Amino acid sequence: MRARLMAHPPWRQLLIVSVVLPMVVVLAVCAFAWPTSQVRPRELPVGVVGSDAATEQVLTALDQSAPGAYDLRIYADEDAAEQAIEAREVYGALAVSRSGVSVLTSTAASPTVARLLTDLAGTMAARTAQGDIDPPVRMTDVVAADPDDPNGAVLSSALLPLSICSLIIAAVVALLLEFGPAWRMTLALVCVSALAGLGVYAVGQWWLGVLPGEAVATWAALALLVLAMSSTTAGLISLVGSPGLGIGAAIMVFIGNPFSGTTSAPELLPDIADHVGQWLPPGAGANLVRSTTYFGGSGAEPHVLALLVWVAFGLGAIASGHRSFTGFAARRQRARAAGHGAVIASRPST
């Protein structure tokens, strides 16, 4: 692309840059702002406790007030609903009876959804109030977020710099190792990702104290997240050169981060953002860290699978870029070998 751009007259280069760069800015702003502006429940898994007339009223009211907003699941009692929350099957549960409304939440899963369910319980209590309910709403945080990070701000704020740094890791490894050989790039990415994951865990838990559970599993989750993003980007660079870094940035930063649902919940985002975001490394990695930190690994399987798929793609792309005739890394190595041979041939014989 650079060669094609340099072939144009200076005035045309300025025109192209003046159009393309603002478009990139606009697309980046849209990617981050659009999902946030559309936050609302979409098939949000929520439990409803009981099977009496009051429960039927809850189901009917929720379905009529917001069609398609909730994926309602009925549980026999609050103990069963709590187990479902701990297993990450639902975000919370509602129980309506003559004595009032009980709301079970999980701020560890999503503080935003916990507030939404609390407000919803208050609305339902107001509808059923008979003047003798005191208090009308009883709240229980089944899996609470860490007191030092009650709104989950640390994880959401760390995801973007973690994504950017993973791109830097990929570029630095490719440049320092001069695109080869493939096994050396792979080994370097694995080692750097493991150490980076340990460093992030050390900051999150040993300094800030916001990653309280399953130390080894959380470290592994962070390392796998960094490896998925860095290996994918390094693989793209090995295949196509510097444009691969731009493609990696688009996937990880400009799509993966805003579509991750880390600041709210995936089920609160538009459908395309929900489904795409959880198969990209930022979304899968953030949810995996939540599972290992607060839920003992419950619900981690699809997120681990998504990250492993990206790691396999990245490492495969690195190998292909070094072996394929058209791969950038292979062409770079051939050029280096040819230049080295020319230097040897030009030396005077003694």
PDB file of all heavy atoms in Angstrom, residues 59-98:
ATOM      1  N   LEU A  59     -43.822 -13.901  35.641  1.00  0.00           N
ATOM      2  CA  LEU A  59     -43.508 -14.291  34.271  1.00  0.00           C
ATOM      3  C   LEU A  59     -44.320 -13.484  33.262  1.00  0.00           C
ATOM      4  O   LEU A  59     -43.788 -12.997  32.260  1.00  0.00           O
ATOM      5  CB  LEU A  59     -43.775 -15.792  34.091  1.00  0.00           C
ATOM      6  CG  LEU A  59     -42.915 -16.747  34.934  1.00  0.00           C
ATOM      7  CD1 LEU A  59     -43.396 -18.182  34.758  1.00  0.00           C
ATOM      8  CD2 LEU A  59     -41.455 -16.634  34.530  1.00  0.00           C
ATOM      9  N   THR A  60     -45.596 -13.340  33.536  1.00  0.00           N
ATOM     10  CA  THR A  60     -46.463 -12.599  32.614  1.00  0.00           C
ATOM     11  C   THR A  60     -46.075 -11.133  32.549  1.00  0.00           C
ATOM     12  O   THR A  60     -45.988 -10.540  31.464  1.00  0.00           O
ATOM     13  CB  THR A  60     -47.936 -12.723  33.047  1.00  0.00           C
ATOM     14  OG1 THR A  60     -48.288 -14.100  33.103  1.00  0.00           O
ATOM     15  CG2 THR A  60     -48.844 -12.000  32.079  1.00  0.00           C
ATOM     16  N   ALA A  61     -45.808 -10.531  33.714  1.00  0.00           N
ATOM     17  CA  ALA A  61     -45.455  -9.115  33.744  1.00  0.00           C
ATOM     18  C   ALA A  61     -44.149  -8.841  33.007  1.00  0.00           C
ATOM     19  O   ALA A  61     -44.044  -7.877  32.238  1.00  0.00           O
ATOM     20  CB  ALA A  61     -45.355  -8.631  35.191  1.00  0.00           C
ATOM     21  N   LEU A  62     -43.147  -9.694  33.217  1.00  0.00           N
ATOM     22  CA  LEU A  62     -41.865  -9.495  32.555  1.00  0.00           C
ATOM     23  C   LEU A  62     -41.985  -9.673  31.051  1.00  0.00           C
ATOM     24  O   LEU A  62     -41.403  -8.915  30.271  1.00  0.00           O
ATOM     25  CB  LEU A  62     -40.827 -10.473  33.116  1.00  0.00           C
ATOM     26  CG  LEU A  62     -40.348 -10.205  34.537  1.00  0.00           C
ATOM     27  CD1 LEU A  62     -39.386 -11.302  34.982  1.00  0.00           C
ATOM     28  CD2 LEU A  62     -39.664  -8.845  34.620  1.00  0.00           C
ATOM     29  N   ASP A  63     -42.754 -10.667  30.632  1.00  0.00           N
ATOM     30  CA  ASP A  63     -42.899 -10.931  29.213  1.00  0.00           C
ATOM     31  C   ASP A  63     -43.662  -9.803  28.517  1.00  0.00           C
ATOM     32  O   ASP A  63     -43.349  -9.425  27.384  1.00  0.00           O
ATOM     33  CB  ASP A  63     -43.613 -12.265  29.003  1.00  0.00           C
ATOM     34  CG  ASP A  63     -43.639 -12.674  27.539  1.00  0.00           C
ATOM     35  OD1 ASP A  63     -42.550 -12.761  26.936  1.00  0.00           O
ATOM     36  OD2 ASP A  63     -44.735 -12.894  26.994  1.00  0.00           O
ATOM     37  N   GLN A  64     -44.651  -9.248  29.194  1.00  0.00           N
ATOM     38  CA  GLN A  64     -45.444  -8.185  28.583  1.00  0.00           C
ATOM     39  C   GLN A  64     -44.722  -6.843  28.598  1.00  0.00           C
ATOM     40  O   GLN A  64     -44.831  -6.066  27.645  1.00  0.00           O
ATOM     41  CB  GLN A  64     -46.787  -8.058  29.313  1.00  0.00           C
ATOM     42  CG  GLN A  64     -47.730  -9.238  29.090  1.00  0.00           C
ATOM     43  CD  GLN A  64     -49.030  -9.089  29.863  1.00  0.00           C
ATOM     44  OE1 GLN A  64     -49.159  -8.213  30.724  1.00  0.00           O
ATOM     45  NE2 GLN A  64     -50.001  -9.946  29.550  1.00  0.00           N
ATOM     46  N   SER A  65     -43.977  -6.563  29.664  1.00  0.00           N
ATOM     47  CA  SER A  65     -43.315  -5.271  29.769  1.00  0.00           C
ATOM     48  C   SER A  65     -42.104  -5.157  28.853  1.00  0.00           C
ATOM     49  O   SER A  65     -41.791  -4.071  28.358  1.00  0.00           O
ATOM     50  CB  SER A  65     -42.875  -5.014  31.210  1.00  0.00           C
ATOM     51  OG  SER A  65     -41.933  -5.991  31.622  1.00  0.00           O
ATOM     52  N   ALA A  66     -41.406  -6.265  28.614  1.00  0.00           N
ATOM     53  CA  ALA A  66     -40.198  -6.228  27.782  1.00  0.00           C
ATOM     54  C   ALA A  66     -40.068  -7.553  27.033  1.00  0.00           C
ATOM     55  O   ALA A  66     -39.309  -8.433  27.441  1.00  0.00           O
ATOM     56  CB  ALA A  66     -38.969  -5.974  28.647  1.00  0.00           C
ATOM     57  N   PRO A  67     -40.814  -7.703  25.937  1.00  0.00           N
ATOM     58  CA  PRO A  67     -40.754  -8.959  25.174  1.00  0.00           C
ATOM     59  C   PRO A  67     -39.337  -9.233  24.652  1.00  0.00           C
ATOM     60  O   PRO A  67     -38.692  -8.361  24.069  1.00  0.00           O
ATOM     61  CB  PRO A  67     -41.728  -8.699  24.017  1.00  0.00           C
ATOM     62  CG  PRO A  67     -42.625  -7.606  24.496  1.00  0.00           C
ATOM     63  CD  PRO A  67     -41.785  -6.746  25.391  1.00  0.00           C
ATOM     64  N   GLY A  68     -38.863 -10.457  24.911  1.00  0.00           N
ATOM     65  CA  GLY A  68     -37.539 -10.847  24.422  1.00  0.00           C
ATOM     66  C   GLY A  68     -36.381 -10.347  25.252  1.00  0.00           C
ATOM     67  O   GLY A  68     -35.225 -10.638  24.941  1.00  0.00           O
ATOM     68  N   ALA A  69     -36.667  -9.595  26.325  1.00  0.00           N
ATOM     69  CA  ALA A  69     -35.574  -9.032  27.125  1.00  0.00           C
ATOM     70  C   ALA A  69     -34.941 -10.071  28.039  1.00  0.00           C
ATOM     71  O   ALA A  69     -33.740 -10.013  28.309  1.00  0.00           O
ATOM     72  CB  ALA A  69     -36.081  -7.854  27.947  1.00  0.00           C
ATOM     73  N   TYR A  70     -35.749 -11.037  28.513  1.00  0.00           N
ATOM     74  CA  TYR A  70     -35.253 -11.974  29.516  1.00  0.00           C
ATOM     75  C   TYR A  70     -35.440 -13.417  29.075  1.00  0.00           C
ATOM     76  O   TYR A  70     -36.455 -13.774  28.468  1.00  0.00           O
ATOM     77  CB  TYR A  70     -35.968 -11.756  30.857  1.00  0.00           C
ATOM     78  CG  TYR A  70     -35.814 -10.349  31.388  1.00  0.00           C
ATOM     79  CD1 TYR A  70     -36.834  -9.412  31.235  1.00  0.00           C
ATOM     80  CD2 TYR A  70     -34.647  -9.958  32.030  1.00  0.00           C
ATOM     81  CE1 TYR A  70     -36.691  -8.115  31.713  1.00  0.00           C
ATOM     82  CE2 TYR A  70     -34.493  -8.665  32.511  1.00  0.00           C
ATOM     83  CZ  TYR A  70     -35.522  -7.751  32.341  1.00  0.00           C
ATOM     84  OH  TYR A  70     -35.367  -6.474  32.804  1.00  0.00           O
ATOM     85  N   ASP A  71     -34.440 -14.218  29.375  1.00  0.00           N
ATOM     86  CA  ASP A  71     -34.531 -15.672  29.225  1.00  0.00           C
ATOM     87  C   ASP A  71     -34.842 -16.222  30.614  1.00  0.00           C
ATOM     88  O   ASP A  71     -33.942 -16.466  31.414  1.00  0.00           O
ATOM     89  CB  ASP A  71     -33.206 -16.221  28.696  1.00  0.00           C
ATOM     90  CG  ASP A  71     -33.193 -17.738  28.602  1.00  0.00           C
ATOM     91  OD1 ASP A  71     -34.274 -18.356  28.751  1.00  0.00           O
ATOM     92  OD2 ASP A  71     -32.107 -18.317  28.412  1.00  0.00           O
ATOM     93  N   LEU A  72     -36.138 -16.370  30.903  1.00  0.00           N
ATOM     94  CA  LEU A  72     -36.586 -16.701  32.253  1.00  0.00           C
ATOM     95  C   LEU A  72     -36.492 -18.201  32.513  1.00  0.00           C
ATOM     96  O   LEU A  72     -36.941 -19.012  31.697  1.00  0.00           O
ATOM     97  CB  LEU A  72     -38.024 -16.218  32.450  1.00  0.00           C
ATOM     98  CG  LEU A  72     -38.227 -14.704  32.300  1.00  0.00           C
ATOM     99  CD1 LEU A  72     -39.701 -14.353  32.380  1.00  0.00           C
ATOM    100  CD2 LEU A  72     -37.440 -13.940  33.359  1.00  0.00           C
ATOM    101  N   ARG A  73     -35.928 -18.544  33.662  1.00  0.00           N
ATOM    102  CA  ARG A  73     -35.753 -19.944  34.050  1.00  0.00           C
ATOM    103  C   ARG A  73     -36.321 -20.134  35.457  1.00  0.00           C
ATOM    104  O   ARG A  73     -35.979 -19.393  36.378  1.00  0.00           O
ATOM    105  CB  ARG A  73     -34.280 -20.326  33.997  1.00  0.00           C
ATOM    106  CG  ARG A  73     -33.665 -19.996  32.642  1.00  0.00           C
ATOM    107  CD  ARG A  73     -32.207 -20.313  32.551  1.00  0.00           C
ATOM    108  NE  ARG A  73     -31.643 -19.857  31.286  1.00  0.00           N
ATOM    109  CZ  ARG A  73     -30.386 -20.079  30.893  1.00  0.00           C
ATOM    110  NH1 ARG A  73     -29.559 -20.764  31.676  1.00  0.00           N
ATOM    111  NH2 ARG A  73     -29.960 -19.611  29.719  1.00  0.00           N
ATOM    112  N   ILE A  74     -37.175 -21.117  35.618  1.00  0.00           N
ATOM    113  CA  ILE A  74     -37.901 -21.322  36.868  1.00  0.00           C
ATOM    114  C   ILE A  74     -37.124 -22.269  37.781  1.00  0.00           C
ATOM    115  O   ILE A  74     -36.634 -23.320  37.345  1.00  0.00           O
ATOM    116  CB  ILE A  74     -39.307 -21.885  36.595  1.00  0.00           C
ATOM    117  CG1 ILE A  74     -40.103 -20.887  35.743  1.00  0.00           C
ATOM    118  CG2 ILE A  74     -40.049 -22.154  37.888  1.00  0.00           C
ATOM    119  CD1 ILE A  74     -41.471 -21.386  35.345  1.00  0.00           C
ATOM    120  N   TYR A  75     -37.023 -21.906  39.059  1.00  0.00           N
ATOM    121  CA  TYR A  75     -36.353 -22.725  40.059  1.00  0.00           C
ATOM    122  C   TYR A  75     -37.301 -22.966  41.230  1.00  0.00           C
ATOM    123  O   TYR A  75     -38.124 -22.104  41.568  1.00  0.00           O
ATOM    124  CB  TYR A  75     -35.068 -22.050  40.544  1.00  0.00           C
ATOM    125  CG  TYR A  75     -34.049 -21.892  39.430  1.00  0.00           C
ATOM    126  CD1 TYR A  75     -33.947 -20.693  38.734  1.00  0.00           C
ATOM    127  CD2 TYR A  75     -33.224 -22.938  39.064  1.00  0.00           C
ATOM    128  CE1 TYR A  75     -33.037 -20.543  37.701  1.00  0.00           C
ATOM    129  CE2 TYR A  75     -32.309 -22.813  38.032  1.00  0.00           C
ATOM    130  CZ  TYR A  75     -32.223 -21.612  37.352  1.00  0.00           C
ATOM    131  OH  TYR A  75     -31.327 -21.477  36.324  1.00  0.00           O
ATOM    132  N   ALA A  76     -37.163 -24.119  41.829  1.00  0.00           N
ATOM    133  CA  ALA A  76     -38.106 -24.519  42.883  1.00  0.00           C
ATOM    134  C   ALA A  76     -37.984 -23.657  44.130  1.00  0.00           C
ATOM    135  O   ALA A  76     -38.981 -23.359  44.784  1.00  0.00           O
ATOM    136  CB  ALA A  76     -37.885 -25.993  43.238  1.00  0.00           C
ATOM    137  N   ASP A  77     -36.765 -23.262  44.481  1.00  0.00           N
ATOM    138  CA  ASP A  77     -36.570 -22.462  45.685  1.00  0.00           C
ATOM    139  C   ASP A  77     -35.334 -21.582  45.508  1.00  0.00           C
ATOM    140  O   ASP A  77     -34.630 -21.659  44.496  1.00  0.00           O
ATOM    141  CB  ASP A  77     -36.433 -23.338  46.931  1.00  0.00           C
ATOM    142  CG  ASP A  77     -35.410 -24.449  46.745  1.00  0.00           C
ATOM    143  OD1 ASP A  77     -34.332 -24.166  46.166  1.00  0.00           O
ATOM    144  OD2 ASP A  77     -35.681 -25.582  47.166  1.00  0.00           O
ATOM    145  N   GLU A  78     -35.075 -20.765  46.522  1.00  0.00           N
ATOM    146  CA  GLU A  78     -33.959 -19.827  46.422  1.00  0.00           C
ATOM    147  C   GLU A  78     -32.612 -20.537  46.450  1.00  0.00           C
ATOM    148  O   GLU A  78     -31.645 -20.066  45.849  1.00  0.00           O
ATOM    149  CB  GLU A  78     -34.043 -18.792  47.546  1.00  0.00           C
ATOM    150  CG  GLU A  78     -35.221 -17.841  47.404  1.00  0.00           C
ATOM    151  CD  GLU A  78     -35.140 -16.670  48.370  1.00  0.00           C
ATOM    152  OE1 GLU A  78     -34.038 -16.432  48.926  1.00  0.00           O
ATOM    153  OE2 GLU A  78     -36.172 -15.993  48.571  1.00  0.00           O
ATOM    154  N   ASP A  79     -32.529 -21.666  47.144  1.00  0.00           N
ATOM    155  CA  ASP A  79     -31.268 -22.415  47.159  1.00  0.00           C
ATOM    156  C   ASP A  79     -30.896 -22.880  45.752  1.00  0.00           C
ATOM    157  O   ASP A  79     -29.725 -22.794  45.350  1.00  0.00           O
ATOM    158  CB  ASP A  79     -31.383 -23.622  48.092  1.00  0.00           C
ATOM    159  CG  ASP A  79     -31.417 -23.212  49.554  1.00  0.00           C
ATOM    160  OD1 ASP A  79     -30.971 -22.087  49.860  1.00  0.00           O
ATOM    161  OD2 ASP A  79     -31.898 -24.012  50.385  1.00  0.00           O
ATOM    162  N   ALA A  80     -31.878 -23.368  45.011  1.00  0.00           N
ATOM    163  CA  ALA A  80     -31.616 -23.804  43.634  1.00  0.00           C
ATOM    164  C   ALA A  80     -31.217 -22.621  42.765  1.00  0.00           C
ATOM    165  O   ALA A  80     -30.323 -22.725  41.905  1.00  0.00           O
ATOM    166  CB  ALA A  80     -32.850 -24.495  43.063  1.00  0.00           C
ATOM    167  N   ALA A  81     -31.852 -21.485  42.979  1.00  0.00           N
ATOM    168  CA  ALA A  81     -31.507 -20.291  42.199  1.00  0.00           C
ATOM    169  C   ALA A  81     -30.089 -19.826  42.525  1.00  0.00           C
ATOM    170  O   ALA A  81     -29.339 -19.416  41.629  1.00  0.00           O
ATOM    171  CB  ALA A  81     -32.515 -19.184  42.488  1.00  0.00           C
ATOM    172  N   GLU A  82     -29.708 -19.900  43.794  1.00  0.00           N
ATOM    173  CA  GLU A  82     -28.351 -19.507  44.176  1.00  0.00           C
ATOM    174  C   GLU A  82     -27.315 -20.423  43.531  1.00  0.00           C
ATOM    175  O   GLU A  82     -26.256 -19.961  43.079  1.00  0.00           O
ATOM    176  CB  GLU A  82     -28.207 -19.536  45.698  1.00  0.00           C
ATOM    177  CG  GLU A  82     -28.950 -18.409  46.413  1.00  0.00           C
ATOM    178  CD  GLU A  82     -28.695 -18.410  47.897  1.00  0.00           C
ATOM    179  OE1 GLU A  82     -27.839 -19.201  48.347  1.00  0.00           O
ATOM    180  OE2 GLU A  82     -29.347 -17.625  48.621  1.00  0.00           O
ATOM    181  N   GLN A  83     -27.593 -21.707  43.489  1.00  0.00           N
ATOM    182  CA  GLN A  83     -26.672 -22.645  42.834  1.00  0.00           C
ATOM    183  C   GLN A  83     -26.530 -22.325  41.349  1.00  0.00           C
ATOM    184  O   GLN A  83     -25.442 -22.420  40.782  1.00  0.00           O
ATOM    185  CB  GLN A  83     -27.160 -24.075  43.037  1.00  0.00           C
ATOM    186  CG  GLN A  83     -27.071 -24.566  44.478  1.00  0.00           C
ATOM    187  CD  GLN A  83     -27.662 -25.956  44.654  1.00  0.00           C
ATOM    188  OE1 GLN A  83     -28.020 -26.636  43.693  1.00  0.00           O
ATOM    189  NE2 GLN A  83     -27.776 -26.389  45.907  1.00  0.00           N
ATOM    190  N   ALA A  84     -27.631 -21.935  40.722  1.00  0.00           N
ATOM    191  CA  ALA A  84     -27.580 -21.575  39.299  1.00  0.00           C
ATOM    192  C   ALA A  84     -26.751 -20.313  39.080  1.00  0.00           C
ATOM    193  O   ALA A  84     -26.016 -20.203  38.087  1.00  0.00           O
ATOM    194  CB  ALA A  84     -28.993 -21.369  38.763  1.00  0.00           C
ATOM    195  N   ILE A  85     -26.850 -19.364  40.006  1.00  0.00           N
ATOM    196  CA  ILE A  85     -26.041 -18.146  39.898  1.00  0.00           C
ATOM    197  C   ILE A  85     -24.564 -18.476  40.062  1.00  0.00           C
ATOM    198  O   ILE A  85     -23.714 -17.979  39.314  1.00  0.00           O
ATOM    199  CB  ILE A  85     -26.497 -17.118  40.951  1.00  0.00           C
ATOM    200  CG1 ILE A  85     -27.904 -16.622  40.634  1.00  0.00           C
ATOM    201  CG2 ILE A  85     -25.531 -15.941  41.017  1.00  0.00           C
ATOM    202  CD1 ILE A  85     -28.519 -15.764  41.731  1.00  0.00           C
ATOM    203  N   GLU A  86     -24.243 -19.331  41.014  1.00  0.00           N
ATOM    204  CA  GLU A  86     -22.852 -19.711  41.255  1.00  0.00           C
ATOM    205  C   GLU A  86     -22.266 -20.498  40.084  1.00  0.00           C
ATOM    206  O   GLU A  86     -21.057 -20.458  39.840  1.00  0.00           O
ATOM    207  CB  GLU A  86     -22.752 -20.527  42.542  1.00  0.00           C
ATOM    208  CG  GLU A  86     -23.056 -19.720  43.796  1.00  0.00           C
ATOM    209  CD  GLU A  86     -23.213 -20.581  45.032  1.00  0.00           C
ATOM    210  OE1 GLU A  86     -23.270 -21.831  44.869  1.00  0.00           O
ATOM    211  OE2 GLU A  86     -23.289 -20.026  46.143  1.00  0.00           O
ATOM    212  N   ALA A  87     -23.126 -21.209  39.342  1.00  0.00           N
ATOM    213  CA  ALA A  87     -22.681 -21.959  38.168  1.00  0.00           C
ATOM    214  C   ALA A  87     -22.696 -21.114  36.897  1.00  0.00           C
ATOM    215  O   ALA A  87     -22.412 -21.631  35.820  1.00  0.00           O
ATOM    216  CB  ALA A  87     -23.568 -23.187  37.968  1.00  0.00           C
ATOM    217  N   ARG A  88     -23.028 -19.832  37.017  1.00  0.00           N
ATOM    218  CA  ARG A  88     -23.089 -18.880  35.898  1.00  0.00           C
ATOM    219  C   ARG A  88     -24.146 -19.269  34.868  1.00  0.00           C
ATOM    220  O   ARG A  88     -23.991 -18.991  33.669  1.00  0.00           O
ATOM    221  CB  ARG A  88     -21.729 -18.701  35.229  1.00  0.00           C
ATOM    222  CG  ARG A  88     -20.627 -18.209  36.138  1.00  0.00           C
ATOM    223  CD  ARG A  88     -19.531 -17.516  35.376  1.00  0.00           C
ATOM    224  NE  ARG A  88     -19.973 -16.183  34.922  1.00  0.00           N
ATOM    225  CZ  ARG A  88     -19.217 -15.344  34.199  1.00  0.00           C
ATOM    226  NH1 ARG A  88     -17.989 -15.728  33.842  1.00  0.00           N
ATOM    227  NH2 ARG A  88     -19.671 -14.173  33.821  1.00  0.00           N
ATOM    228  N   GLU A  89     -25.211 -19.918  35.329  1.00  0.00           N
ATOM    229  CA  GLU A  89     -26.315 -20.226  34.434  1.00  0.00           C
ATOM    230  C   GLU A  89     -27.244 -19.021  34.277  1.00  0.00           C
ATOM    231  O   GLU A  89     -27.848 -18.831  33.222  1.00  0.00           O
ATOM    232  CB  GLU A  89     -27.102 -21.431  34.971  1.00  0.00           C
ATOM    233  CG  GLU A  89     -26.307 -22.724  35.004  1.00  0.00           C
ATOM    234  CD  GLU A  89     -27.099 -23.853  35.640  1.00  0.00           C
ATOM    235  OE1 GLU A  89     -28.285 -23.635  35.975  1.00  0.00           O
ATOM    236  OE2 GLU A  89     -26.536 -24.950  35.812  1.00  0.00           O
ATOM    237  N   VAL A  90     -27.389 -18.232  35.329  1.00  0.00           N
ATOM    238  CA  VAL A  90     -28.208 -17.018  35.309  1.00  0.00           C
ATOM    239  C   VAL A  90     -27.435 -15.917  36.022  1.00  0.00           C
ATOM    240  O   VAL A  90     -26.524 -16.179  36.817  1.00  0.00           O
ATOM    241  CB  VAL A  90     -29.580 -17.228  35.989  1.00  0.00           C
ATOM    242  CG1 VAL A  90     -30.438 -18.192  35.192  1.00  0.00           C
ATOM    243  CG2 VAL A  90     -29.407 -17.704  37.426  1.00  0.00           C
ATOM    244  N   TYR A  91     -27.814 -14.663  35.730  1.00  0.00           N
ATOM    245  CA  TYR A  91     -27.185 -13.515  36.382  1.00  0.00           C
ATOM    246  C   TYR A  91     -27.803 -13.209  37.738  1.00  0.00           C
ATOM    247  O   TYR A  91     -27.180 -12.562  38.578  1.00  0.00           O
ATOM    248  CB  TYR A  91     -27.308 -12.277  35.492  1.00  0.00           C
ATOM    249  CG  TYR A  91     -26.314 -12.239  34.362  1.00  0.00           C
ATOM    250  CD1 TYR A  91     -26.625 -12.772  33.113  1.00  0.00           C
ATOM    251  CD2 TYR A  91     -25.063 -11.656  34.531  1.00  0.00           C
ATOM    252  CE1 TYR A  91     -25.723 -12.737  32.077  1.00  0.00           C
ATOM    253  CE2 TYR A  91     -24.145 -11.615  33.495  1.00  0.00           C
ATOM    254  CZ  TYR A  91     -24.476 -12.160  32.265  1.00  0.00           C
ATOM    255  OH  TYR A  91     -23.572 -12.123  31.238  1.00  0.00           O
ATOM    256  N   GLY A  92     -29.038 -13.650  37.952  1.00  0.00           N
ATOM    257  CA  GLY A  92     -29.732 -13.381  39.196  1.00  0.00           C
ATOM    258  C   GLY A  92     -31.098 -14.030  39.167  1.00  0.00           C
ATOM    259  O   GLY A  92     -31.448 -14.745  38.213  1.00  0.00           O
ATOM    260  N   ALA A  93     -31.890 -13.799  40.203  1.00  0.00           N
ATOM    261  CA  ALA A  93     -33.217 -14.417  40.286  1.00  0.00           C
ATOM    262  C   ALA A  93     -34.147 -13.528  41.099  1.00  0.00           C
ATOM    263  O   ALA A  93     -33.708 -12.758  41.959  1.00  0.00           O
ATOM    264  CB  ALA A  93     -33.125 -15.814  40.901  1.00  0.00           C
ATOM    265  N   LEU A  94     -35.440 -13.679  40.805  1.00  0.00           N
ATOM    266  CA  LEU A  94     -36.484 -12.933  41.507  1.00  0.00           C
ATOM    267  C   LEU A  94     -37.445 -13.921  42.159  1.00  0.00           C
ATOM    268  O   LEU A  94     -37.768 -14.957  41.575  1.00  0.00           O
ATOM    269  CB  LEU A  94     -37.261 -12.040  40.529  1.00  0.00           C
ATOM    270  CG  LEU A  94     -36.458 -10.951  39.809  1.00  0.00           C
ATOM    271  CD1 LEU A  94     -37.309 -10.340  38.709  1.00  0.00           C
ATOM    272  CD2 LEU A  94     -35.997  -9.886  40.784  1.00  0.00           C
ATOM    273  N   ALA A  95     -37.885 -13.580  43.357  1.00  0.00           N
ATOM    274  CA  ALA A  95     -38.877 -14.394  44.064  1.00  0.00           C
ATOM    275  C   ALA A  95     -39.935 -13.462  44.631  1.00  0.00           C
ATOM    276  O   ALA A  95     -39.627 -12.611  45.469  1.00  0.00           O
ATOM    277  CB  ALA A  95     -38.219 -15.204  45.170  1.00  0.00           C
ATOM    278  N   VAL A  96     -41.178 -13.610  44.156  1.00  0.00           N
ATOM    279  CA  VAL A  96     -42.285 -12.759  44.607  1.00  0.00           C
ATOM    280  C   VAL A  96     -43.238 -13.608  45.443  1.00  0.00           C
ATOM    281  O   VAL A  96     -43.660 -14.679  45.024  1.00  0.00           O
ATOM    282  CB  VAL A  96     -43.028 -12.143  43.411  1.00  0.00           C
ATOM    283  CG1 VAL A  96     -44.196 -11.288  43.894  1.00  0.00           C
ATOM    284  CG2 VAL A  96     -42.072 -11.303  42.575  1.00  0.00           C
ATOM    285  N   SER A  97     -43.557 -13.110  46.637  1.00  0.00           N
ATOM    286  CA  SER A  97     -44.505 -13.798  47.506  1.00  0.00           C
ATOM    287  C   SER A  97     -45.333 -12.745  48.243  1.00  0.00           C
ATOM    288  O   SER A  97     -45.133 -11.543  48.075  1.00  0.00           O
ATOM    289  CB  SER A  97     -43.768 -14.695  48.506  1.00  0.00           C
ATOM    290  OG  SER A  97     -42.968 -13.910  49.367  1.00  0.00           O
ATOM    291  N   ARG A  98     -46.232 -13.212  49.068  1.00  0.00           N
ATOM    292  CA  ARG A  98     -47.072 -12.268  49.820  1.00  0.00           C
ATOM    293  C   ARG A  98     -46.261 -11.442  50.815  1.00  0.00           C
ATOM    294  O   ARG A  98     -46.668 -10.350  51.197  1.00  0.00           O
ATOM    295  CB  ARG A  98     -48.164 -13.029  50.548  1.00  0.00           C
ATOM    296  CG  ARG A  98     -49.172 -13.697  49.608  1.00  0.00           C
ATOM    297  CD  ARG A  98     -50.229 -14.440  50.393  1.00  0.00           C
ATOM    298  NE  ARG A  98     -51.217 -15.054  49.511  1.00  0.00           N
ATOM    299  CZ  ARG A  98     -52.236 -15.790  49.937  1.00  0.00           C
ATOM    300  NH1 ARG A  98     -52.393 -15.980  51.238  1.00  0.00           N
ATOM    301  NH2 ARG A  98     -53.075 -16.311  49.077  1.00  0.00           N
TER     302      ARG A  98
END
